[in-house]
Every structure is written in structure tokens, then in C-alpha cells.
Amino acid sequence: MKIQAEISAISRLRIAVDGDGLTTLVAFMSCPLRCRYCLNPQTLDPDGPQKVYTPEELYTEVRKDELYYLATGGGVTFGGGEPLLRPDFIRAFRSLCGPDWKLNAETSLNVPEENVRAMMPVIDHWFIDIKDMNPDIYRDYTGRDNVRVRDNLRLLADAGLASRCTLRIPHIPGYNEDTDRDKSVKELEAMGFKVFDRFEYNTRTGSKKRENK
Ligand code: SF4
């Protein structure tokens, strides 16, 4: 079967935003969650702007920046939407770009375990937006439970990949407080994760403000 995916946007020449070095952000359409303050609502709208790519077409499009990737230790960050809904596409892309590009994933991890397993050999760095580890806060904010998130976090930690993960810990106005975030960090530290990105959702602009790294 032909591998292809709907892509909402390709953003080039990003520096130190979503991964080391210079990166290109590739935003896939579609996501299993419905976060109240979704940062990329255009990826949830089936009628929103999008273009269908095969892995070969995407590779042709982004390799114009290959020299920058290799010189800076950068590469491609797959986001969305939820990139882990597209494991076959990303695996095919890795086989095209080879081992020297850095491939990152920005994910909620709220996907089937087999999708995460399929990505483990091809993703260099994982940016995981956990929302909040408290199941009630998570369900209120996203409309889904976080059972898969917890299981997939354990899967990554047990596979020795915690050092290749950055855990995003947002303050979500109206849903969680600093005490909730501290509890999330404590629980994640107990699993073996060490790198946390605390930030504030701006509910007015749908953007985020970095607090620390
Ligand atoms: S996980 Fe991301 S893309 Fe999906 S609904 Fe939440 S903010 Fe939007």
C-alpha cells in the first residue's frame, strides 16, 4: 500500500525551538485529543489547509536544508497534530534520509503502544507534552484518559530512552496549578525522566511562554 500523509505545514530554518541545531518542523494533520487550548487547531480541522505527501516527496522538499542539518546537528521535527499516528511514514522517511539527520517527535504519547515501539529505533529525541499526570485534570483538559500516556512513558523509560526525552509540563490556566505540576514532575522523576520544560499556555493567543528548561 502506498504510504502517504496529510501535512498541515512545513516550517523551515527553526533554531533551538524544537530540537538541537537547525530544524524543519513538519506538522501532520489529525490528533486523538481535543485540548481546550490547542496550539495547532488547524491540524484538527479536516477542511483546514493541508497537502498530501509521500515520504519521498517530503524528503525532496526538506533536503534543501541538509547542509544546515549536518553542520548544526539538526534535522526534522515531526509534530502536528499527532505524528505518532504516522509510524510507517516516519520510518520510510528515516530510510530515505539515513542515520545522520536528527529526527525528533513532538507527541502527546496518547497513541497505541505499537506505534511507540515502531518509532523507538528511528526517533533521536522525544518532546512529550504530558499535559498533567493527574488523570482527572488530563481528562477535563483533553477529553481523553491518560492510561496510554502512562504506559508509553513506562515503555520509553524501561527501554533506557529517558535521557532522550524532554517532558513538557504546562501550566494550563483553569485546569492545573503549580502544585499539580510539581506532582507530575515528581512522578516522572520516579520513572527516570530528568529533563523538564515548564511553560505557560497563553489562552488568548494559543501560544506558549517558556519558564525554564
Ligand atoms: S495534543 Fe496538540 S494538536 Fe492535539 S489537541 Fe492537544 S494541543 Fe492540539
Side-chain angles (χ1 to χ4, degrees), residues 28 30-41 43-44 80-82 107-108 129 131 138 141-142 201:
F28 288 104
S30 187
C31 180
L33 305 184
R34 288 295 178 271
C35 300
R36 172 74 175 77
Y37 308 128
C38 178
L39 303 177
N40 304 304
T43 64
L44 309 182
E82 176 49 72
T107 175
S108 70
D129 188 350
K131 320 296 180 189
Y138 191 97
Y141 179 62
T142 69
Y201 280 153

Side-chain angles (χ1 to χ4, degrees), residues 98-119:
D100 294 335
W101 293 19
K102 200 158 191 191
L103 298 188
N104 309 304
E106 289 188 327
T107 175
S108 70
L109 281 190
N110 204 324
V111 296
E113 178 187 317
E114 59 263 31
N115 294 36
V116 179
R117 285 191 185 278
M119 290 291 85

Side-chain angles (χ1 to χ4, degrees), residues 30-197:
S30 187
C31 180
L33 305 184
R34 288 295 178 271
C35 300
R36 172 74 175 77
Y37 308 128
C38 178
L39 303 177
N40 304 304
Q42 70 281 1
T43 64
L44 309 182
D45 177 3
D47 299 322
Q50 58 188 281
K51 187 174 166 192
V52 175
Y53 284 85
T54 63
E56 292 79 9
E57 288 165 341
L58 181 67
Y59 178 60
T60 301
E61 173 80 22
V62 301
R63 78 175 167 198
K64 57 185 125 188
D65 292 325
E66 177 167 34
L67 282 179
Y68 297 123
Y69 304 153
L70 298 179
T72 64
V76 175
T77 298
F78 292 104
E82 176 49 72
L84 267 60
L85 296 176
R86 310 287 183 178
D88 292 350
F89 187 102
I90 296 173
R91 287 177 69 95
F93 185 90
R94 171 61 95 187
S95 69
L96 292 165
C97 76
D100 294 335
W101 293 19
K102 200 158 191 191
L103 298 188
N104 309 304
E106 289 188 327
T107 175
S108 70
L109 281 190
N110 204 324
V111 296
E113 178 187 317
E114 59 263 31
N115 294 36
V116 179
R117 285 191 185 278
M119 290 291 85
M120 285 162 53
V122 297
I123 293 299
D124 293 298
H125 198 88
W126 305 69
F127 294 93
I128 304 166
D129 188 350
I130 60 111
K131 320 296 180 189
D132 198 290
M133 291 296 279
N134 181 308
D136 295 329
I137 294 172
Y138 191 97
R139 193 178 304 101
D140 279 354
Y141 179 62
T142 69
R144 291 288 173 93
D145 69 56
N146 65 350
V147 174
R148 278 176 165 172
V149 179
R150 291 169 163 281
D151 289 348
N152 287 329
L153 284 166
R154 267 185 223 103
L155 176 67
L156 290 173
D158 290 349
L161 297 176
S163 62
R164 286 162 48 185
C165 297
T166 298
L167 283 289
R168 290 183 167 157
I169 313 287
H171 173 225
I172 314 171
Y175 289 87
N176 69 358
E177 303 294 340
D178 277 348
T179 48
D180 301 307
R181 297 203 290 166
D182 292 344
K183 280 186 202 160
S184 291
V185 168
K186 223 172 186 170
E187 190 176 341
L188 292 162
E189 282 177 336
M191 286 183 187
F193 295 99
K194 290 188 169 55
V195 181
F196 302 100
D197 175 14

